[in-house]
Amino acid sequence: MREHSIRLTGPRATGARVSVRALRDLLDVLSDGARKAVRLRVEGRSTAKGIQPEWLGRAADFELVGLSEGSTRLHFEAPSLAEAVPHMFGQMDFTKELDTSRTSFELLEESLRDALAGSRESDLYDESLLKTFTGFSALFKDGFEALEIKDAGPVISLDAAGIETVSRLRRETPEPRRVMVAGKLDAIRDHDHMFTLILPDGKTIKGLAEEIESRILADFFGEPAVVSGFAHYRPSGAVLRIEADRIEKPGKNDLEIFGMEPGPLVAQLDARAYDQLQGPRSGINAIVGQWPGDETDEELAEFLECLA
């Protein structure tokens, strides 16, 4: 078991005690965030339809072992992934994608650190995990000002400004859309059908093909293929993953037509980017007082009729 701690600061940080509501809000985010962070590393996505797999609940579990003073400190212990689910992480080869000696808490911290840094190209979070992170804002409504996580790595400090950074990344993340992409299918993982698609320009895209039979995937290993499915995006607009539902042999010109990374249909817009300061000759001030005001009602009605 590895130790982890969280420090809460602010008016409601009253030593070795914390309200039940604040504790519930914190544990809800940590528990959901740990599950999603683990699943994202293992499956390439933080959520999926259907019942949560049994291994995930155990892999993302941790224990609250105490409270102490120093503002308010909460102490946790978590097993490594290999300790929590030895039959899975102790036997399957995850070494290229995941260090199974890490805990779910550490994976959560790494994802949160990238989000707070505003990293728009990160592989360590997706839109659903960003949504979970915004749940930390409930603590600030409960009278806390900041949350600090201090383990082996650099201290993670989260406050209201950090929540805004996370929220902005979420707003900037384009909606998933259906795509067709052509390339060479490579690095297929048998147990969960994760794959890598190498585009003609050498760029790689990660994918998940859980709806496609293993024998079909095996036939395409190392071969050109056209992958159809839904592309999920990073805030930058780059593809995070493709959830494939069909893989076919390419036609004559498919590699030329579909052999490029598919961008989002519409870039996400931040309405605040259109906020402009108004001066005496701009905005509403450019309109107020401009109507001459000496027309009769009949003249105005006649003018409007001409516009119709």
Side-chain angles (χ1 to χ4, degrees):
M1 301 286 278
R2 196 162 302 165
E3 294 182 1
H4 303 277
S5 66
I6 289 179
R7 177 173 175 254
L8 301 175
T9 62
R12 291 295 300 276
T14 53
R17 59 192 303 157
V18 64
S19 75
V20 170
R21 183 176 68 177
L23 182 61
R24 177 203 62 199
D25 292 339
L26 176 61
L27 293 180
D28 280 350
V29 177
L30 291 176
S31 179
D32 192 42
R35 286 194 302 270
K36 289 182 177 180
V38 171
R39 193 167 198 171
L40 183 62
R41 301 294 187 88
V42 174
E43 297 185 351
R45 59 185 178 183
S46 68
T47 55
K49 294 180 180 179
I51 300 173
Q52 173 184 288
E54 185 270 339
W55 65 262
L56 181 58
R58 289 194 285 139
D61 198 17
F62 54 86
E63 298 177 353
L64 174 63
V65 296
L67 294 169
S68 64
E69 296 184 356
S71 294
T72 297
R73 292 183 182 273
L74 297 93
H75 302 276
F76 301 88
E77 289 186 356
S80 69
L81 300 181
E83 291 171 334
V85 196
H87 71 274
M88 178 174 178
F89 293 106
Q91 297 178 16
M92 295 181 180
D93 182 15
F94 286 94
T95 54
K96 293 182 180 179
E97 301 91 2
L98 179 63
D99 180 357
T100 59
S101 69
R102 312 295 296 281
T103 70
S104 62
F105 219 98
E106 288 174 298
L107 301 187
L108 166 65
E109 292 172 18
E110 291 179 351
S111 296
L112 180 58
R113 184 178 287 110
D114 265 17
L116 292 176
S119 177
R120 302 174 76 245
E121 289 286 351
S122 177
D123 289 332
L124 302 185
Y125 63 75
D126 58 10
E127 190 276 335
S128 182
L129 188 49
L130 289 175
K131 180 180 179 181
T132 294
F133 288 156
T134 62
F136 281 119
S137 62
L139 290 172
F140 307 135
K141 295 176 183 178
D142 286 336
F144 296 97
E145 293 178 347
L147 174 152
E148 292 180 356
I149 305 176
K150 185 177 182 180
D151 289 325
V155 175
I156 298 174
S157 183
L158 174 64
D159 55 14
I163 291 294
E164 177 53 34
T165 297
V166 174
S167 298
R168 186 186 70 247
L169 288 173
R170 189 180 174 212
R171 292 194 300 269
E172 292 175 349
T173 303
E175 292 289 330
R177 76 173 183 96
R178 189 159 191 86
V179 299
M180 292 180 66
V181 192
K184 184 175 74 172
L185 213 61
D186 190 34
I188 300 171
R189 215 163 64 182
D190 290 336
H191 64 274
D192 58 8
H193 291 193
M194 287 191 69
F195 65 87
T196 299
L197 187 69
I198 303 176
L199 304 184
D201 64 1
K203 183 177 292 186
T204 61
I205 296 178
K206 293 181 180 179
L208 182 66
E210 64 179 351
E211 297 182 15
I212 299 174
E213 295 181 19
S214 298
R215 62 177 181 82
I216 296 177
L217 285 174
D219 288 342
F220 278 102
F221 178 72
E223 297 293 329
V226 177
V227 175
S228 301
F230 281 88
H232 295 256
Y233 293 92
R234 300 180 178 90
S236 66
V239 174
L240 177 63
R241 69 179 181 275
I242 293 177
E243 296 186 4
D245 51 33
R246 190 170 183 175
I247 297 179
E248 302 173 295
K249 291 183 178 180
K252 182 178 180 181
N253 298 314
D254 283 351
L255 286 174
E256 289 78 15
I257 298 172
F258 301 111
M260 61 187 70
E261 181 177 3
L265 284 177
V266 180
Q268 300 296 91
L269 299 179
D270 185 348
R272 294 175 307 167
Y274 296 92
D275 290 345
Q276 300 290 333
L277 292 176
Q278 295 186 18
R281 297 182 180 179
S282 63
I284 192 67
N285 294 320
I287 301 173
V288 173
Q290 298 303 306
W291 189 267
D294 55 1
E295 294 85 355
T296 64
D297 291 345
E298 291 76 12
E299 290 172 330
L300 179 59
E302 182 179 352
F303 175 73
L304 292 176
E305 266 186 34
C306 293
L307 295 178

